[in-house]
Amino acid sequence: MSSHRIAVIGGDGIGPEVVEAGVQVLEALAAVEPGLALEFRRFDWGSDYYRRNGRMMPQDGLAQLESFDAIYFGSVGDPELPDDITLWGLRLAICQRFDQYANVRPTRLLPGLTSPLRPELGRQIDWVIVRENSEGEYAGVGGRAHRGLPIEVGMDVAVFTRTGVERIARFACDLALSRPRKLLTVVTKSNAQRHGMVLWDEVVREVTRDYPGLTVDWMLVDAMTQRMVNKPGSIDTVLATNLHADILSDLAAALGGSLGIGSTANVDPSSRRPSMFEPIHGSAFDITGKGVANPLGSFWTASLMLDHLGEQAAARRLMSAIETVTGRGEHLSPDLGGAAHTAEVTAAVIAALEGVNSTGPSRLAG
Ligand code: IPM
Ligand code: MG
């Protein structure tokens, strides 16, 4: 039985707390799921590492990660350090250098959870947002000049390339086609941004022509926010640029009950390099060390990781255990209206792993 080698980077704030909880759950899962073997190696990279070493990860950090099958990531961001240094020194550096160009963010209203939407609308949420993860507004292209002078200037140039748009469009179409509704909504802002966004539209439109089985509709990003709130059931798979999807996915997670359950896969679909899996909630310094962080986002992302590693049965079993726990409603963390600590939620999910099986549709395929 071959074992999947997972690099574990807890990072900052509540990252290490939720990721350690996730490792416990994954170890318990490996003990009950036939054929599942996982090996973990921890890396203490992040802002404390920066304070000691003047960098977020060692110079050969990417080389160290390269041989792993996946990266299980917590969060990055520290109140005492500039975000652009911490993020570009670790998380964005990994995403960009490993060309994890597809960022996948599922949202579903899990059993027992309450959406801020009216109940009949909240129940309709079952979305996957596909975020372009390598260029666009996050290309890192731009500059500063004339520092301190009245004519000082700062620029971030949104970069859209034919290759970049085409590959993410294909990924989104394939994913949308694998889901029962075969429905893709493409988000744009080409009414106001007349270069990159127009190229985006053109290239996505060309790619979608190769998918006659798919229903495709288009939304301007501003109008998309109100559609997510007013007509959640009209949406299934969403394709959006790096920044647009960043914003829409926080809205999605909040509508799904809490940012604490949002999960992400940063995928290199070619599998040449490891993909990275993380909760989307960030470092949350206001609750760090209090033991109350919601670990469900890190468990959900662990399920995405198993799915990516080809362990569909284990992925489903973990997702079912999460849903068993939310459905019972006895062990919910404060962000979900409960009083359970991280450790109690973790123990409840581990206990539920025994009782659930791994049948049913795969997680992303809906
Ligand atoms: C996310 C986060 C990051 C992003 C931040 C931390 C840079 O908000 O994963 O959505 O904007 O990509
Ligand atoms: Mg975000």
mmCIF file of all heavy atoms in Angstrom, residues 91 105 131 138 242-243 245-247 249-250 259 280, ligand 2:
data_model
loop_
_atom_site.group_PDB
_atom_site.id
_atom_site.type_symbol
_atom_site.label_atom_id
_atom_site.label_comp_id
_atom_site.label_asym_id
_atom_site.label_seq_id
_atom_site.Cartn_x
_atom_site.Cartn_y
_atom_site.Cartn_z
ATOM 1 N N ARG A 91 2.495 31.932 1.015
ATOM 2 C CA ARG A 91 1.365 31.308 0.316
ATOM 3 C C ARG A 91 1.338 31.632 -1.178
ATOM 4 O O ARG A 91 1.225 30.747 -2.018
ATOM 5 C CB ARG A 91 0.052 31.726 0.956
ATOM 6 C CG ARG A 91 -1.136 31.099 0.259
ATOM 7 C CD ARG A 91 -2.427 31.652 0.791
ATOM 8 N NE ARG A 91 -3.555 31.231 0.005
ATOM 9 C CZ ARG A 91 -3.888 31.765 -1.171
ATOM 10 N NH1 ARG A 91 -3.129 32.684 -1.707
ATOM 11 N NH2 ARG A 91 -4.951 31.351 -1.808
ATOM 12 N N ARG A 105 -13.258 26.426 -4.922
ATOM 13 C CA ARG A 105 -13.889 26.776 -3.639
ATOM 14 C C ARG A 105 -15.349 26.336 -3.614
ATOM 15 O O ARG A 105 -16.226 27.033 -4.116
ATOM 16 C CB ARG A 105 -13.780 28.277 -3.408
ATOM 17 C CG ARG A 105 -12.343 28.733 -3.436
ATOM 18 C CD ARG A 105 -12.128 30.158 -3.024
ATOM 19 N NE ARG A 105 -10.720 30.322 -2.683
ATOM 20 C CZ ARG A 105 -10.183 31.359 -2.082
ATOM 21 N NH1 ARG A 105 -10.939 32.372 -1.748
ATOM 22 N NH2 ARG A 105 -8.901 31.387 -1.804
ATOM 23 N N ARG A 131 -11.531 29.791 -9.309
ATOM 24 C CA ARG A 131 -10.810 31.064 -9.294
ATOM 25 C C ARG A 131 -9.512 30.930 -10.078
ATOM 26 O O ARG A 131 -8.715 30.039 -9.803
ATOM 27 C CB ARG A 131 -10.504 31.415 -7.835
ATOM 28 C CG ARG A 131 -9.561 32.569 -7.642
ATOM 29 C CD ARG A 131 -9.337 32.812 -6.149
ATOM 30 N NE ARG A 131 -8.458 33.963 -5.955
ATOM 31 C CZ ARG A 131 -8.028 34.391 -4.778
ATOM 32 N NH1 ARG A 131 -8.389 33.761 -3.671
ATOM 33 N NH2 ARG A 131 -7.239 35.430 -4.685
ATOM 34 N N TYR A 138 -3.660 39.451 -9.485
ATOM 35 C CA TYR A 138 -2.632 39.000 -8.542
ATOM 36 C C TYR A 138 -1.315 38.679 -9.258
ATOM 37 O O TYR A 138 -0.485 37.958 -8.725
ATOM 38 C CB TYR A 138 -3.090 37.741 -7.811
ATOM 39 C CG TYR A 138 -4.069 37.961 -6.685
ATOM 40 C CD1 TYR A 138 -5.272 38.608 -6.904
ATOM 41 C CD2 TYR A 138 -3.801 37.504 -5.395
ATOM 42 C CE1 TYR A 138 -6.186 38.787 -5.879
ATOM 43 C CE2 TYR A 138 -4.703 37.681 -4.362
ATOM 44 C CZ TYR A 138 -5.893 38.323 -4.614
ATOM 45 O OH TYR A 138 -6.799 38.489 -3.597
ATOM 46 N N ASN A 242 -9.013 36.104 -10.577
ATOM 47 C CA ASN A 242 -8.368 35.970 -9.275
ATOM 48 C C ASN A 242 -9.020 36.859 -8.210
ATOM 49 O O ASN A 242 -9.450 36.381 -7.151
ATOM 50 C CB ASN A 242 -6.885 36.339 -9.472
ATOM 51 C CG ASN A 242 -5.978 35.520 -8.590
ATOM 52 O OD1 ASN A 242 -6.360 35.158 -7.493
ATOM 53 N ND2 ASN A 242 -4.765 35.266 -9.057
ATOM 54 N N LEU A 243 -9.149 38.134 -8.483
ATOM 55 C CA LEU A 243 -9.706 39.060 -7.488
ATOM 56 C C LEU A 243 -11.225 38.926 -7.370
ATOM 57 O O LEU A 243 -11.774 38.925 -6.265
ATOM 58 C CB LEU A 243 -9.327 40.503 -7.844
ATOM 59 C CG LEU A 243 -9.831 41.573 -6.877
ATOM 60 C CD1 LEU A 243 -9.246 41.373 -5.476
ATOM 61 C CD2 LEU A 243 -9.482 42.970 -7.387
ATOM 62 N N ALA A 245 -13.062 36.338 -7.862
ATOM 63 C CA ALA A 245 -13.411 35.108 -7.149
ATOM 64 C C ALA A 245 -12.983 35.181 -5.687
ATOM 65 O O ALA A 245 -13.607 34.568 -4.819
ATOM 66 C CB ALA A 245 -12.766 33.908 -7.827
ATOM 67 N N ASP A 246 -11.939 35.924 -5.411
ATOM 68 C CA ASP A 246 -11.539 36.114 -4.008
ATOM 69 C C ASP A 246 -12.701 36.737 -3.246
ATOM 70 O O ASP A 246 -13.097 36.274 -2.169
ATOM 71 C CB ASP A 246 -10.306 37.011 -3.947
ATOM 72 C CG ASP A 246 -9.928 37.355 -2.517
ATOM 73 O OD1 ASP A 246 -9.953 36.441 -1.676
ATOM 74 O OD2 ASP A 246 -9.618 38.536 -2.242
ATOM 75 N N ILE A 247 -13.272 37.765 -3.822
ATOM 76 C CA ILE A 247 -14.352 38.497 -3.157
ATOM 77 C C ILE A 247 -15.634 37.652 -3.129
ATOM 78 O O ILE A 247 -16.279 37.499 -2.085
ATOM 79 C CB ILE A 247 -14.580 39.844 -3.880
ATOM 80 C CG1 ILE A 247 -13.308 40.704 -3.776
ATOM 81 C CG2 ILE A 247 -15.784 40.564 -3.298
ATOM 82 C CD1 ILE A 247 -13.257 41.875 -4.733
ATOM 83 N N SER A 249 -15.957 34.525 -3.175
ATOM 84 C CA SER A 249 -15.894 33.312 -2.344
ATOM 85 C C SER A 249 -16.056 33.629 -0.863
ATOM 86 O O SER A 249 -16.539 32.791 -0.097
ATOM 87 C CB SER A 249 -14.622 32.508 -2.621
ATOM 88 O OG SER A 249 -13.484 33.263 -2.336
ATOM 89 N N ASP A 250 -15.670 34.824 -0.432
ATOM 90 C CA ASP A 250 -15.981 35.194 0.960
ATOM 91 C C ASP A 250 -17.488 35.361 1.124
ATOM 92 O O ASP A 250 -18.069 34.933 2.126
ATOM 93 C CB ASP A 250 -15.280 36.509 1.354
ATOM 94 C CG ASP A 250 -13.936 36.264 2.031
ATOM 95 O OD1 ASP A 250 -13.260 35.283 1.661
ATOM 96 O OD2 ASP A 250 -13.564 37.063 2.926
ATOM 97 N N LEU A 259 -17.550 31.927 7.451
ATOM 98 C CA LEU A 259 -16.243 31.881 6.803
ATOM 99 C C LEU A 259 -15.425 30.701 7.358
ATOM 100 O O LEU A 259 -14.538 30.178 6.702
ATOM 101 C CB LEU A 259 -15.517 33.210 7.081
ATOM 102 C CG LEU A 259 -14.398 33.621 6.148
ATOM 103 C CD1 LEU A 259 -14.864 33.656 4.703
ATOM 104 C CD2 LEU A 259 -13.848 34.986 6.565
ATOM 105 N N ILE A 280 -10.268 28.840 4.033
ATOM 106 C CA ILE A 280 -10.120 30.208 3.502
ATOM 107 C C ILE A 280 -10.189 31.289 4.577
ATOM 108 O O ILE A 280 -10.062 32.460 4.287
ATOM 109 C CB ILE A 280 -11.161 30.531 2.386
ATOM 110 C CG1 ILE A 280 -12.563 30.769 2.932
ATOM 111 C CG2 ILE A 280 -11.179 29.490 1.306
ATOM 112 C CD1 ILE A 280 -13.481 31.388 1.868
HETATM 113 MG MG MG B 2 -9.988 35.772 0.186
#
